Amino acid sequence: MASRWFRRSRRGVGEDQIAAARAALTATFMDLEDRQSAIDVAVQDVIRLHPDSHLGRSWSAVRETCYSATAAYLEAAADPDAAARNSSERGTLGMIGQAQQMLDGAVSALTGFEEHHRDQLTASAHEAADVRRRIEAATVGVHQVERSIDSTDPAYLRYASVAAAVTDLAAARRVLAEESLNGRLAAAGDAADHLETALTRVREVLAEAPKRMQQAHHAIVTARTRLQALEHRVDTIRPKLSALLREFPAASSEDLVGNEPRAIDEIAVARQLLDSAATAEAQGRPEDALDVTAEARRHLASAEELIDITRDRLDLLRRLRDDPGEQERRVRFQLRDAQRLVVSLELVDQWATVLDAQTARIDRIVAQIASPRPDYLAYSRELDHVSQFLTTTVAKIRASVHDG
């Protein structure tokens, strides 16, 4: 009896050692699994964000070490009763100890990898979290906008701006889904941003759609009022052109001779366009009406310019005839300012000759109006050229001082 009890006691002590060893082995394995999974997620984020990164190759070696240790653990932990029946306690403890050693080595490899790449892993984790947040926000936004589209008046959905925005939204959704499916996290983040832009555009056009009809009507009415005013003003071109020809040399107005028929043509085109815009409005196509009205406005602006330039030319030449020295005095004052600047900056040697030449140039221009029928238009334009030259020269002088 004593010997059987002694043998049973020795066996019990061995089983306790094996149980403790197995418990320690399992604890190490669970720690390894948790850490390996967390690091693997972080590494995959790095790869998805930066496909050219070499981190994946470094991680593969560490991961293989973990796999080998896991295999040893599974073998040592498989069916404890069978292991006890088929091997000695010493052999069982040895197998568990070998597995423990491999697990400890794998944990050490994980620790070294994590410490060496901590900054990159941390940065990528933050970046990946931000990308996923943007994707989630865009996805939520899509659901909200889809509900808005479903509750929108079908007439508004036929507007060009709304239809285009909805089409762009669908395309942006497809791109995000494709990039996400392929695991391209960085590209998915960009796609989420584009999707947000598309969502914003849809919200804007849906909010504006109810106002389009009123906007189109107002635009057409305003343009027609402007057209009517120009129809009356176009008749002023001919008498003003006649006055130019009577009072000044023909060269002063030869570029204006065709203004009246050109203005009439521009008004006629605008009138046809506004009729088309009114038709689009009546058919419930306010955005088309707005586009056509905008084109009509461009033709009205051309007509107005043709009318105004004739009036402005006559006014300019009469002012010059009444006081030709006013523009001359203005340009000479500009020249004196430039000369004072050169003196104050001590750059006389570099720029005095250039500026003095402008004095002679102004004198020659002024001498031209001494004739019985002077060309005031040429006089004014030549003085304008001098003024522009002086402006450019002063800018160069200041730039040379600044660069020096």
Side-chain angles (χ1 to χ4, degrees):
M1 291 292 293
S3 62
R4 286 199 300 272
W5 173 255
F6 179 73
R7 285 196 298 272
R8 189 180 297 118
S9 299
R10 288 183 60 192
R11 186 164 56 249
V13 171
E15 289 173 357
D16 289 344
Q17 290 176 338
I18 291 171
R22 286 186 189 283
L25 184 69
T26 299
T28 305
F29 169 73
M30 296 301 293
D31 178 56
L32 175 69
E33 278 285 288
D34 290 343
R35 294 183 61 185
Q36 180 186 347
S37 297
I39 296 174
D40 190 63
V41 169
V43 170
Q44 295 310 312
D45 282 343
V46 172
I47 295 172
R48 293 187 186 102
L49 289 167
H50 310 287
D52 297 333
S53 173
H54 301 301
L55 189 65
R57 288 199 291 270
S58 301
W59 173 240
S60 294
V62 176
R63 189 169 52 190
E64 287 303 319
T65 300
C66 294
Y67 289 161
S68 297
T70 298
Y73 163 77
L74 293 174
E75 183 179 357
D79 194 358
D81 294 335
R85 290 193 299 270
N86 296 325
S87 64
S88 66
E89 294 169 353
R90 187 180 300 277
T92 300
L93 285 171
M95 184 169 62
I96 293 173
Q98 184 179 8
Q100 182 69 54
Q101 189 175 24
M102 293 182 69
L103 287 176
D104 289 341
V107 170
S108 178
L110 282 179
T111 300
F113 179 87
E114 188 174 23
E115 289 179 350
H116 184 69
H117 299 288
R118 186 182 304 279
D119 290 344
Q120 186 177 8
L121 293 172
T122 301
S124 292
H126 289 310
E127 186 177 355
D130 178 66
V131 170
R132 293 189 176 97
R133 179 193 57 76
R134 284 149 50 200
I135 292 173
E136 177 64 20
T139 303
V140 171
V142 167
H143 297 321
Q144 294 171 342
V145 166
E146 284 179 338
R147 288 195 293 270
S148 297
I149 292 173
D150 290 341
S151 62
T152 295
D153 186 334
Y156 298 157
L157 298 179
R158 292 192 291 270
Y159 291 180
S161 64
V162 177
V166 171
T167 299
D168 290 344
L169 176 62
R173 285 190 65 186
R174 287 194 297 271
V175 172
L176 176 57
E178 180 181 349
E179 299 297 356
S180 298
L181 182 63
N182 292 327
R184 294 190 287 262
L185 197 55
D190 292 339
D193 294 339
H194 292 151
L195 181 55
E196 280 290 358
T197 300
L199 288 167
T200 299
R201 180 57 184 157
V202 171
R203 294 186 188 103
E204 290 174 348
V205 296
L206 290 179
E208 287 295 318
K211 309 173 189 175
R212 290 301 191 201
M213 193 63 74
Q214 183 179 358
Q215 291 170 345
H217 182 73
H218 178 74
I220 293 171
V221 170
T222 302
R224 284 198 187 281
T225 300
R226 185 179 180 188
L227 182 145
Q228 292 167 0
L230 291 175
E231 284 178 327
H232 289 93
R233 290 186 58 207
V234 74
D235 294 337
T236 65
I237 294 179
R238 187 175 303 175
K240 291 187 181 299
L241 186 59
S242 297
L244 281 166
L245 291 171
R246 285 195 312 272
E247 300 175 27
F248 304 98
S252 299
S253 57
E254 61 185 359
D255 59 321
L256 308 178
V257 172
N259 279 19
E260 183 178 13
R262 287 198 294 271
I264 291 172
D265 288 344
E266 293 284 4
I267 292 171
V269 171
R271 186 185 301 107
Q272 291 175 351
L273 288 170
L274 289 176
D275 290 342
S276 297
T279 299
E281 179 194 6
Q283 293 174 348
R285 295 183 289 113
E287 292 188 329
D288 292 339
L290 285 167
D291 290 341
V292 176
T293 302
E295 186 178 355
R297 282 202 199 95
R298 287 191 286 272
H299 287 280
L300 291 175
S302 296
E304 189 167 21
E305 183 178 0
L306 290 166
I307 295 169
D308 289 346
I309 194 173
T310 308
R311 177 202 62 197
D312 294 344
R313 180 74 58 80
L314 180 59
D315 291 345
L316 170 66
L317 297 183
R318 283 174 172 172
R319 285 199 307 273
L320 289 170
R321 183 181 59 193
D322 294 342
D323 185 8
E326 190 274 332
Q327 187 173 1
E328 174 197 354
R329 291 190 295 271
R330 202 166 64 244
V331 177
R332 288 192 188 277
F333 181 82
Q334 186 180 2
L335 173 59
R336 286 194 296 272
D337 262 0
Q339 290 169 331
R340 282 193 290 268
L341 176 66
V342 166
V343 172
S344 67
L345 296 176
E346 299 181 352
L347 296 174
V348 174
D349 291 343
Q350 294 94 316
W351 295 98
T353 303
V354 174
L355 295 178
D356 288 345
Q358 301 314 302
T359 300
R361 185 179 175 188
I362 294 171
D363 290 341
R364 289 193 298 273
I365 294 170
V366 172
Q368 295 175 10
I369 61 171
S371 62
R373 194 172 168 81
D375 188 345
Y376 288 109
L377 182 62
Y379 166 78
S380 177
R381 286 175 173 172
E382 289 179 25
L383 285 178
D384 284 341
H385 291 158
V386 175
S387 177
Q388 183 177 1
F389 177 83
L390 290 172
T391 299
T392 303
T393 300
V394 168
K396 289 179 180 178
I397 293 170
R398 295 187 185 281
S400 68
V401 173
H402 181 269
D403 295 341

